[in-house]
């Protein structure tokens, strides 16, 4: 592996204002527009970690907790949680702010996976990630079981090989 990089080096923040063209008929931000912004901010974060071209491999655990209203200012913060061989998991947190009302809420969270590729689109090895803060360490620890879950669901891993996942449910313990 080329070198190690700190999680903080991948932090990427993007700010947008919800305009009429971004909304549905209830004057709330459309989910598809938000996912587009998530994909961009997360891809930039993955590029910062890998210094490579990256492609989106999966988008999961997107929770739509609150609607975001027309005129709100949306801030998306992305950070790589853990890198594997060519792939890395990126955590995205979204806050929506009504500035005139002085209200700010965390509205969405998601995990995206990106794969670093060479000029021919072939997966390529990336640096190891070092978490430093308590939150970064927690995200790093959980990344392994989230990876196993998504690879099992994508039929890229056999459930019996997902050791981290099995350990949560004590599946190897005799009943
Ligand atoms: C992602 C992609 C490069 C993987 O290529 P591949 O030939 O399947 O390569 P591999 O099987 O060697 O897998 C490479 C990595 O991708 C990861 N991966 C592949 N599919 C995945 C999925 N659905 N979810 C999470 N990770 C995935 C693998 O776990 C592996 O990770 P690792 O190297 O860290 O162990 C390829 O499927 C691709 O180009 N997909 C299209 C990407 C794209 O166009 N995205 C834009 C959205 S339209």
């Amino acid at each position: 592996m080329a070198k190690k990089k700190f999680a903080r080096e991948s932090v990427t923040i993007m700010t947008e204002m919800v305009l009429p063209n971004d909304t549905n008929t209830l004057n709330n931000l459309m989910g598809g527009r938000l996912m587009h912004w998530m994909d961009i901010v997360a891809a930039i974060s993955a590029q910062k970690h890998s210094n490579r071209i990256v492609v989106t491999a999966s988008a999961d655990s997107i929770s739509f907790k609150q609607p975001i209203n027309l005129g709100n200012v949306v801030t998306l913060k992305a950070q790589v949680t853990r890198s594997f061989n060519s792939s890395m998991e990126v955590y995205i947190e979204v806050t929506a702010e009504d500035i005139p009302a002085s209200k700010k809420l965390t509205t969405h969270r998601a995990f995206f996976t990106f794969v670093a590729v060479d000029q021919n689109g072939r997966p390529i090895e990336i640096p190891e990630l070092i978490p430093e803060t308590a939150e970064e360490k927690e995200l790093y620890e959980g990344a392994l079981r989230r990876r196993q879950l998504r690879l099992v669901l994508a039929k890229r891993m056999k459930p019996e090989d997902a050791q981290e996942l099995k350990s949560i449910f004590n599946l190897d313990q005799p009943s």
Side-chain angles (χ1 to χ4, degrees):
M1 204 170 277
K3 63 172 188 170
K4 296 180 183 188
K5 288 179 81 171
F6 293 108
R8 65 179 140 83
E9 295 178 74
S10 67
V11 171
T12 306
I13 294 173
M14 178 172 154
T15 307
E16 297 279 344
M17 178 179 270
V18 181
L19 296 174
N21 204 30
D22 302 321
T23 60
N24 60 23
T25 47
L26 293 171
N27 277 343
N28 294 323
L29 175 64
M30 280 186 293
R33 179 76 82 223
L34 182 65
M35 286 190 275
H36 175 69
W37 291 341
M38 284 177 161
D39 196 25
I40 293 172
V41 73
I44 295 169
S45 174
Q47 281 198 351
K48 283 188 188 178
H49 179 72
S50 61
N51 292 106
R52 294 280 180 186
I53 300 165
V54 298
V55 293
T56 316
S58 75
D60 50 31
S61 311
I62 306 179
S63 59
F64 292 87
K65 210 168 132 193
Q66 292 281 152
I68 299 179
N69 307 125
L70 177 66
N72 280 181
V73 172
V74 181
T75 304
L76 300 100
K77 181 183 174 201
Q79 183 167 12
V80 177
T81 63
R82 188 162 179 159
S83 61
F84 298 95
N85 302 303
S86 63
S87 69
M88 64 213 107
E89 183 192 70
V90 181
Y91 175 58
I92 305 143
E93 201 168 86
V94 180
T95 54
E97 193 171 2
D98 180 341
I99 296 177
S102 302
K103 280 189 191 157
K104 193 173 179 179
L105 276 179
T106 299
T107 54
H108 301 71
R109 295 189 168 91
F111 290 97
F112 280 39
T113 302
F114 288 83
V115 176
V117 294
D118 64 16
Q119 292 295 337
N120 299 312
R122 281 190 297 260
I124 191 163
E125 206 177 4
I126 56 173
E128 194 181 321
L129 180 127
I130 308 165
E132 295 176 290
T133 66
E135 191 194 359
E136 287 168 2
K137 285 177 186 166
E138 197 184 328
L139 286 165
Y140 181 92
E141 290 304 323
L144 202 51
R145 59 174 186 271
R146 287 189 297 273
R147 166 181 158 96
Q148 289 182 353
L149 181 60
R150 71 175 67 92
L151 292 180
V152 167
L153 292 175
K155 300 199 185 311
R156 286 179 159 265
M157 180 183 264
K158 292 183 187 152
E160 55 269 32
D161 293 335
Q163 294 302 333
E164 290 289 315
L165 266 186
K166 279 174 28 180
S167 67
I168 301 174
F169 299 110
N170 289 327
L171 292 181
D172 283 334
Q173 303 296 318
S175 53

